[in-house]
Structures are given as C-alpha cells and as structure tokens.
Amino acid sequence: MSTTFWIILAGGVLTYLTRIGGHLVISRFERLHPRVEAGLNAVPVAVLTTLFAPAVVEGGPAEWIALAAAAVIAFTGGSFLLMFLVGAGLLVILRQFFG
Amino acid sequence: MSAQQATPRDQFLEGIALSLPVLVGVAPFGALFGMLAVEHNFSVGEAMFMSAFIYAGASQLVGIELFGSHVAPWLIVLSIFAVNFRLVLYSAAVGRYLARWPIGKQIIGYFFLVDQLFAESERRTSSGVPLHFAWYMGMALTVYVTWLISTYLGAVFGQFIPDPHVFGIDFLLTIYFFCIVLTLRTRHNWFPIAASSALGAILGYKTIGSPWHVTVGAFVGVFVGAFLPPVAAKDEAAEHDHTGERNP
C-alpha cells in the first residue's frame, strides 16, 4: 500500500478519535464542575462563530448587506430557513453589482 | 415534546429536509476538494477514500496541501488531527445528548459528527427537542452521501466547475453558520462568547492564518463562557440537564 493510503488511514482514525474523544473524557466524570459545564455550553457559539467571522471581515458591501438582512430577520422573529434564504438570495443579487 | 409522536421514519425524513440548505454549501466544498486533490496528484480513488474515511473538509484540504509540499507523513497526520481538534469540543458538548442512545448507535453517530450536524443538533436541543437517532441519521447520511458524490464530481469534472464567486457559493457556508449562531442567541452569555470568539478568530486568521484561527477563536470563546458568571442557574439546569431522561 502507498504512503498516501497509510496517511489517509491514520488521519481518519485520529479524526474519529476527535469525534468520540470529547465525549469519552467528559463521560468519565459523574458530575461536571459548573465552569466545565458553562464552557461546554459555550462550545456551539464559540466554535461556530469562528467558521464565519474571518469571511465577514474579508467580505465587501454585498456580503455585509446580505448578513445584515439575515440578522434583521432573526431579530424580528423570522425562521432560520427564511434568514438563510434571504441572506443567500440577496448575496447572489448584490454580487452582480458589487462583483 | 410529549405531543410529538413522530415515527422514526418521520424523524428520518425531517433530518433529510433539514439538511437541504446545508447541501448547497457542502456540495461545492466537496467538489472543490475533489478538484484540488486531483490537481495535487491524487487519484480519484484516493480523493474518494479521503472523503469517505476522514470526512472533515478543512483538514482534507490541509492534508492535500501538505502532500504537495513533501513534508514528513507524521506531520501531515498531526496537522489533520490539529485542524480537527474542534471536533473534540463538539463531541464533549453534544455527547451529553447522544449518551442516551444505545452504544452501537453512538459509535455510528459520532463518525458523522461534522460542523453542520453539530450546529443542527445544538439548535434542536436548544429549543427543547430531544435528539433522535433516526433524525440525526437522516441528516447525517444525506450530508455524507452528498460529500462523496460532490468529491467524485469535482475530482472527475473539476475543470468544468463554473466560477463559484458569481453564484455566491463561496459565501453560503458563512451565511449558514452566521444564521445558526443568531438562532442560538437566547443562550447564556451569547454576546460576550460570540464577540470574543469572533475577535480571536479574526486575529488568528490575520496572524497565523487559516485554518488555525478556528482553534484560537474556539478556545477564547469557550474560556470566556466558562469564566463569566453563570446567569440564572436554575434555568441553566432546566435547559441543559444532561443527567435526566427526556424521552418523548
């Protein structure tokens, strides 16, 4: 087998370990310290924010207007799907103007 | 919750439906990976194997980038692991809900734990709906199969892919995760966590570069969340109770 094969295999095994690892560590504790609990509750917002923040800074008017529209819909009680569709639709239209 | 008597089949179909907005972002990313993998002298089979077995887009891109630069194999494996370290946090957070499943279902479920699955799972549990295996797998399998098909199409037909910028495809995942974080805004200390994590990610992006900014921003945000004073401890216990059963 080639080196590429073994690298992918090892990478896959380690990646699976990351996917079960957090749970395996946490589940060893009968009760979690409140700080750990608070940290875990922060994970979704903390990590998912990093997946879009740099792209927002790197963006231009088209991107910012699209995101602002999605935010307005969110704060006026619109559904998740409506936010996403308006944001995406607006972006495609605005990109025709701002490039 | 108690009013909801959805069969596993309904749950599965609901999972598939929820994954549809995600696919618009996932498919071009998979195609991009397939195209770049072939450009970096991967065979179509190797690209498919990587997508099927590692199944974590950002780390796969880092991996093929390093293959091209002839660095030591162990360093490539280590880099893949480092980029995927955020999955440890996902696993720890969402594991509190998946722990109710039988062990076999957990072993399968964790394999499919990608950003989008984690995001939708948190959105679901945040609104008080329990996580069912059928729902989870409906979304998981749809995203996984799309990832494999798009990798294949990118690897084989990569040179025909139109300019993703014109259709806004390069920015769809950004909008998606932006919307997810906005829908989570009722969570405790949402603003300080999101703001500090964004700041950490942007600084990390400007200094050490992608994809390491994810790790930097994640740790800043989790740290802030852990050390801010907890708000209304009794709501917290009700909302995020992980010891009690919450079956329908």
Side-chain angles (χ1 to χ4, degrees):
Chain A
M1 284 294 172
S2 68
T3 317
T4 304
F5 174 84
W6 289 111
I7 291 174
I8 295 173
L9 198 69
V13 169
L14 277 180
T15 301
Y16 186 70
L17 285 180
T18 65
R19 288 186 163 121
I20 56 167
H23 172 64
L24 290 182
V25 171
I26 290 295
S27 63
R28 298 192 68 83
F29 296 94
E30 193 81 350
R31 276 210 77 77
L32 293 176
H33 189 279
R35 296 265 180 232
V36 176
E37 186 87 41
L40 288 178
N41 289 335
V43 167
V45 176
V47 184
L48 298 175
T49 298
T50 68
L51 301 183
F52 70 79
V56 175
V57 177
E58 299 284 301
E63 287 78 10
W64 297 333
I65 294 170
L67 292 177
V72 167
I73 293 172
F75 284 99
T76 51
S79 73
F80 173 78
L81 194 62
L82 185 68
M83 289 163 66
F84 177 76
L85 292 178
V86 168
L90 208 51
L91 177 76
V92 175
I93 297 167
L94 290 171
R95 280 245 176 116
Q96 314 304 319
F97 299 104
F98 296 108
Chain B
M1 281 169 268
S2 51
Q4 192 182 37
Q5 290 299 332
T7 63
R9 188 172 169 278
D10 295 339
Q11 293 271 349
F12 189 75
L13 293 176
E14 196 193 337
I16 292 176
L18 266 178
S19 68
L20 296 181
V22 172
L23 301 185
V24 191
V26 166
F29 195 32
L32 175 75
F33 167 74
M35 183 178 75
L36 290 177
V38 169
E39 273 179 16
H40 282 74
N41 301 318
F42 269 50
S43 68
V44 176
E46 285 167 339
M48 292 294 290
F49 178 48
M50 199 173 192
S51 272
F53 198 64
I54 296 183
Y55 186 43
S59 72
Q60 291 176 222
L61 287 175
V62 170
I64 54 168
E65 203 62 43
L66 292 176
F67 271 109
S69 55
H70 301 289
V71 303
W74 68 269
L75 204 61
I76 301 178
V77 174
L78 187 69
S79 302
I80 292 172
F81 177 72
V83 174
N84 287 333
F85 192 76
R86 71 183 185 289
L87 300 175
V88 173
L89 297 175
Y90 291 173
S91 162
V94 88
R96 296 176 292 170
Y97 306 103
L98 302 200
R100 291 167 199 164
W101 298 351
I103 191 76
K105 289 181 175 177
Q106 288 188 47
I107 290 171
I108 296 167
Y110 281 113
F111 175 79
F112 296 101
L113 188 59
V114 291
D115 297 315
Q116 293 82 357
L117 251 292
F118 175 68
E120 291 294 343
S121 297
E122 286 290 341
R123 192 155 77 85
R124 202 165 173 84
T125 54
S126 270
S127 57
V129 184
L131 282 189
H132 287 296
F133 182 69
W135 171 85
Y136 184 94
M137 290 310 290
M139 181 167 183
L141 289 176
T142 315
V143 176
Y144 186 68
V145 169
T146 305
W147 182 246
L148 294 186
I149 293 173
S150 59
T151 298
Y152 178 78
L153 293 177
V156 176
F157 304 108
Q159 65 272 37
F160 302 118
I161 290 178
D163 179 9
H165 184 83
V166 177
F167 302 103
I169 289 170
D170 56 315
F171 203 70
L172 286 183
L173 279 179
T174 302
I175 296 177
Y176 175 79
F177 288 118
F178 177 79
C179 293
I180 289 275
V181 170
L182 278 183
T183 59
L184 295 175
R185 69 185 179 282
T186 51
R187 295 177 73 118
H188 298 308
N189 295 320
W190 174 78
F191 185 76
I193 295 168
S196 58
S197 153
L199 199 65
I202 291 163
L203 288 177
Y205 186 80
K206 299 276 187 197
T207 52
I208 47 176
S210 180
W212 311 107
H213 66 278
V214 172
T215 310
V216 177
F219 273 99
V220 174
V222 169
F223 197 79
V224 167
F227 287 94
L228 278 176
V231 190
K234 92 175 147 33
D235 296 350
E236 180 106 23
E239 191 178 340
H240 299 293
D241 178 22
H242 66 283
T243 49
E245 283 297 315
R246 220 181 352 181
N247 291 326

